[in-house]
Amino acid sequence: MEPYNLTGTLEFILLGLSEDPELQLILFALFLLIYMLTVLGNVLIILAISSDSHLHSPMYFFLYNLSLSDMGFSSTTIPKMLINLHAHNRSITYAECLTQVSFFFLFGGMDSLLLAVMAYDRWVAICHPLYYQVILSPCLCRCLVIVSLFISLVSSQVHCLLVSQLTFCINVEIPHFFCDVPELVKLACSNTTISDIVIFLLGIILGFLPASGIFYSYYKITSSIFRVPSLLGKYKAFSTCGSHLSVVCLFYGTGIGVYLSSTVSSSSRESMVASVMYTMVVPMMNPFIYSLRNRDIKKALWKIVRQIT
């Protein structure tokens, strides 16, 4: 096949999870429900934090931004997939694909970096409680979020630039439900050595480094908790970071699952199914994890419900 000179007329074909018409209807209903729960859950978290002055602290400030990022992350992939399932049209234009790549890495990177920032927040709260308000001042909190946004934005634009430099063949079929960069690199007709190196380095920056920071924070937290003499004191200290730890395990566990499935197995379908977890299920679960394990969030949510009713 002749290499295709990229123009606005190029379209990709998203093969999706299934070609069975009956199964596609089930998938449409399932993913629509997941998306609605994701948006509703994160909007409630945002409203609860905004409306309750008791939740105006660094921990909830970061949670507020994580909820915004989760909604953006889900909105990058699910609406386009729902449109394709409903219209029985699996195509996505070149411009839409670049846009999806850009926002996917923007919000995905934000999630990863914010989880690392929240681990630092828990470290300061447990290991240095007397200096918590001094260390995590409003100015520092805003700076941490802005820096996370800036790094994610640079990463997203680099990924977008890499994809724009690739040369594809006519009628490119992507064995995924969104424009996944590794799949696009595999399908490129041009040399992808530089793209592979840059993607690997960006993966270290947005994946390995935040995960290492989280691991170090929890190492210090665990060491501090073990020095607490009473069992009740240990439980109270650990309960303050239980929700965050659950979200971290869910996010990085599914992300590592996608990486391992794509490395160990040549089947794109296994990687695609694993991707459903961290692109759809994780953003949906985060609000429920934080609301069910946090009394302050539950109180704020009940206030909102009473005001509505």
Side-chain angles (χ1 to χ4, degrees):
M1 292 170 54
E2 293 294 327
Y4 190 90
N5 187 16
L6 296 179
T7 65
T9 61
L10 176 63
E11 286 190 347
F12 299 112
I13 305 298
L14 298 172
L15 298 182
L17 293 166
S18 173
E19 297 181 10
D20 185 351
E22 293 183 0
L23 185 57
Q24 284 186 348
L25 182 61
I26 297 173
L27 291 175
F28 177 83
L30 175 63
F31 294 137
L32 178 61
L33 177 62
I34 289 175
Y35 186 61
M36 291 174 64
L37 288 174
T38 301
V39 173
L40 178 61
N42 283 290
V43 165
L44 287 175
I45 292 291
I46 291 169
L47 290 175
I49 294 173
S50 301
S51 61
D52 195 330
S53 60
H54 294 95
L55 301 182
H56 294 175
S57 66
M59 179 178 70
Y60 296 110
F61 174 73
F62 297 135
L63 178 57
Y64 178 96
N65 286 278
L66 181 66
S67 294
L68 288 173
S69 180
D70 279 342
M71 282 198 297
F73 194 43
S74 294
S75 299
T76 301
T77 56
I78 300 181
K80 178 58 180 177
M81 185 180 63
L82 291 174
I83 292 171
N84 287 0
L85 286 172
H86 183 263
H88 302 288
N89 178 15
R90 296 177 294 173
S91 66
I92 182 170
T93 65
Y94 178 63
E96 289 175 336
C97 190
L98 285 180
T99 303
Q100 197 172 66
V101 167
S102 179
F103 283 106
F104 180 84
F105 283 97
L106 171 63
F107 293 116
M110 275 294 290
D111 271 8
S112 181
L113 292 170
L114 283 173
L115 287 174
V117 169
M118 293 171 78
Y120 173 69
D121 168 80
R122 293 299 84 205
W123 173 24
V124 176
I126 293 174
C127 299
H128 307 283
L130 297 179
Y131 300 99
Y132 179 71
Q133 295 295 337
V134 177
I135 296 174
L136 284 171
S137 62
C139 180
L140 178 62
C141 292
R142 286 192 294 269
C143 286
L144 288 173
V145 172
I146 291 171
V147 169
S148 299
L149 177 61
F150 176 76
I151 294 173
S152 301
L153 182 61
V154 171
S155 170
S156 71
Q157 294 311 299
V158 171
H159 278 95
C160 192
L161 180 62
L162 287 176
V163 173
S164 68
Q165 298 303 309
L166 297 175
T167 303
F168 297 94
C169 298
I170 299 173
N171 299 326
V172 178
E173 294 185 342
I174 304 174
H176 221 296
F177 59 87
F178 69 97
C179 286
D180 191 29
V181 171
E183 294 295 337
L184 290 170
V185 172
K186 290 178 186 177
L187 296 170
C189 299
S190 55
N191 189 300
T192 61
T193 304
I194 296 177
S195 298
D196 291 333
I197 294 172
V198 174
I199 290 171
F200 175 75
L201 293 175
L202 290 174
I204 292 176
I205 295 172
L206 290 178
F208 178 75
L209 292 181
S212 299
I214 292 170
F215 178 81
Y216 179 77
S217 296
Y218 276 101
Y219 165 74
K220 301 295 288 184
I221 288 171
T222 303
S223 300
S224 177
I225 289 176
F226 280 145
R227 290 197 295 267
V228 176
S230 67
L231 186 62
L232 181 60
K234 291 179 180 180
Y235 173 77
K236 287 183 177 180
F238 185 75
S239 64
T240 62
C241 53
S243 298
H244 176 260
L245 189 58
S246 301
V247 171
V248 166
C249 292
L250 196 59
F251 181 81
Y252 284 101
T254 53
I256 292 171
V258 172
Y259 174 77
L260 291 178
S261 63
S262 62
T263 303
V264 176
S265 174
S266 59
S267 173
S268 298
R269 184 161 297 277
E270 292 183 11
S271 175
M272 182 166 46
V273 172
S275 297
V276 171
M277 290 297 296
Y278 83 94
T279 59
M280 301 184 191
V281 178
V282 173
M284 178 189 70
M285 292 299 297
N286 286 355
F288 294 100
I289 292 172
Y290 276 104
S291 60
L292 292 175
R293 296 179 60 91
N294 191 298
R295 292 181 180 178
D296 294 330
I297 290 287
K298 283 191 284 189
K299 288 180 181 178
L301 288 174
W302 275 117
K303 287 182 182 178
I304 293 174
V305 172
R306 284 197 297 269
Q307 289 175 357
I308 295 174
T309 56

